[in-house]
Amino acid sequence: MNTEITKNQENKIKVHFTDNTLINPTNPVTVNLIGAGGTGSQVLIALARMNHALTELNHAGLSVRLWDDDVITEANLGRQFFAECELGLSKSVALINRANRFFGTNWKAETQKFEKNDLGKFKSNMKSEIYISCVDSVKSRFDIAEILNELKIDKGYYRNQCKYWIDFGNSQFTGQVLLSTIGNIKQPNSEKYEPVENLPFITEEFGELLKNSEVEDNTPSCSLAEALEKQDLFINSTLAQMGSSLLWNLFRNGLTENRGFFLNLKSFQSQPIKL
């Protein structure tokens, strides 16, 4: 009898069921989008499209806050969603203003890094239900993980309880997107599936790989040609579309068998990351 139960469990597909407060929210689901560069600028547009689709489906939609302390330069034109008339403007302000005008949203821009204040305290606007990081350094990922680990402990019973972290990362031709839970997400009982309540952070699961990765060149590019030596023209937009589809499926289907993917744009290969 025990052998049969074990076999049945082994045959079940592992899935993660979306937290119910995201499926049927009373208020718009809060999102902190960290980084407004090559990937972040594309993800913001995807979130705006997603918000419109959700509201058309009688969902409360999304409320996004975009974090970036950088300004628009010549090297950003073409590869990122910026125009020549926006040179010198804050990336986050330019993008949020454009999204709000086009989609009629009331999203917010932060012209600063996503980090604790000088006293080591959290800003009230740092708390959200979903965190999406589109950063270009290993240190930034570990800093975000540290903040989310502390927020995880301080969950309480307030609105905007942190639930998920989606991290986007890439090199010139390759990249990955990984979905993590911030703490455990209570799962329903299922006869068909094996629910998974905890999806580890990228810094926990691939921490050593991140630390041992090649030294990153964060020197600002002076031209688009120089920028393309670091990141291919379409790697960011491809990652943004596929990664945003992962989030969309959490809302639309209420569950996922995959927690992300690895992408190689040079060989046109994509490998899902199963639970």
Side-chain angles (χ1 to χ4, degrees):
M1 184 72 175
N2 291 336
T3 305
E4 289 181 6
I5 293 174
T6 304
K7 285 183 178 178
N8 288 335
Q9 289 176 336
E10 289 177 353
N11 292 331
K12 285 184 177 181
I13 299 172
K14 287 185 177 181
V15 303
H16 174 79
F17 288 94
T18 311
D19 188 282
N20 191 54
T21 58
L22 271 63
I23 301 296
N24 297 300
T26 305
N27 300 296
V29 175
T30 51
V31 180
N32 269 321
L33 175 57
I34 307 165
T39 303
S41 60
Q42 309 266 354
V43 170
L44 180 72
I45 303 304
L47 290 174
R49 294 173 59 198
M50 196 182 305
N51 172 69
H52 180 75
L54 287 170
T55 55
E56 288 295 305
L57 294 168
N58 297 316
H59 186 278
L62 307 174
S63 177
V64 177
R65 189 177 294 271
L66 177 62
W67 297 75
D68 200 298
D69 66 340
D70 203 3
V71 296
I72 303 163
T73 65
E74 286 276 0
N76 301 141
L77 306 183
R79 196 175 61 83
Q80 301 177 15
F81 270 147
F82 299 113
E84 191 171 352
C85 62
E86 294 174 319
L87 289 173
L89 297 178
S90 164
K91 286 185 176 181
S92 58
V93 171
L95 288 168
I96 286 294
N97 283 344
R98 192 183 315 147
N100 286 342
R101 287 195 302 268
F102 192 91
F103 291 96
T105 49
N106 188 28
W107 294 354
K108 307 298 180 184
E110 296 288 347
T111 58
Q112 56 186 312
K113 289 184 178 180
F114 183 81
E115 58 187 7
K116 291 181 279 188
N117 63 24
D118 294 336
L119 299 175
K121 302 293 184 181
F122 296 112
K123 308 177 185 79
S124 59
N125 52 11
M126 293 178 73
K127 294 180 179 178
S128 69
E129 291 156 286
I130 298 173
Y131 295 81
I132 302 175
S133 55
C134 305
V135 295
D136 55 7
S137 75
V138 172
K139 182 183 182 303
S140 296
R141 286 187 176 83
F142 278 94
D143 288 346
I144 292 168
E146 181 182 343
I147 290 172
L148 296 186
N149 272 320
E150 293 188 38
L151 287 172
K152 177 169 59 179
I153 297 170
D154 185 35
K155 270 199 170 182
Y157 289 96
Y158 51 81
R159 183 174 170 256
N160 296 348
Q161 285 187 352
C162 44
K163 304 289 193 328
Y164 295 102
W165 175 22
I166 303 177
D167 179 71
F168 289 72
N170 68 280
S171 57
Q172 186 175 8
F173 297 106
T174 62
Q176 75 285 327
V177 176
L178 195 71
L179 169 71
S180 305
T181 58
I182 303 173
N184 296 333
I185 303 293
K186 187 176 180 181
Q187 300 287 287
N189 295 324
S190 176
E191 294 183 2
K192 183 177 180 181
Y193 300 109
E194 181 184 341
V196 179
E197 66 176 10
N198 185 276
L199 310 177
F201 287 179
I202 186 171
T203 50
E204 296 168 351
E205 192 167 7
F206 300 104
E208 288 303 314
L209 187 62
L210 287 172
K211 290 176 182 177
N212 295 329
S213 62
E214 294 181 3
V215 177
E216 296 168 64
D217 180 10
N218 294 321
T219 306
S221 302
C222 297
S223 66
L224 176 59
E226 187 177 337
L228 292 174
E229 292 298 318
K230 300 176 184 177
Q231 298 185 48
D232 189 57
L233 184 60
F234 292 108
I235 184 65
N236 301 108
S237 55
T238 306
L239 274 178
Q241 295 300 308
M242 292 180 67
S244 298
S245 180
L246 174 66
L247 178 59
W248 168 249
N249 286 333
L250 282 177
F251 284 110
R252 192 75 175 116
N253 301 329
L255 58 82
T256 181
E257 298 176 26
N258 304 304
R259 54 180 306 228
F261 59 89
F262 294 107
L263 173 70
N264 187 320
L265 201 57
K266 202 166 189 177
S267 61
F268 298 104
Q269 290 182 317
S270 176
Q271 178 64 44
I273 303 172
K274 296 291 184 181
L275 269 61

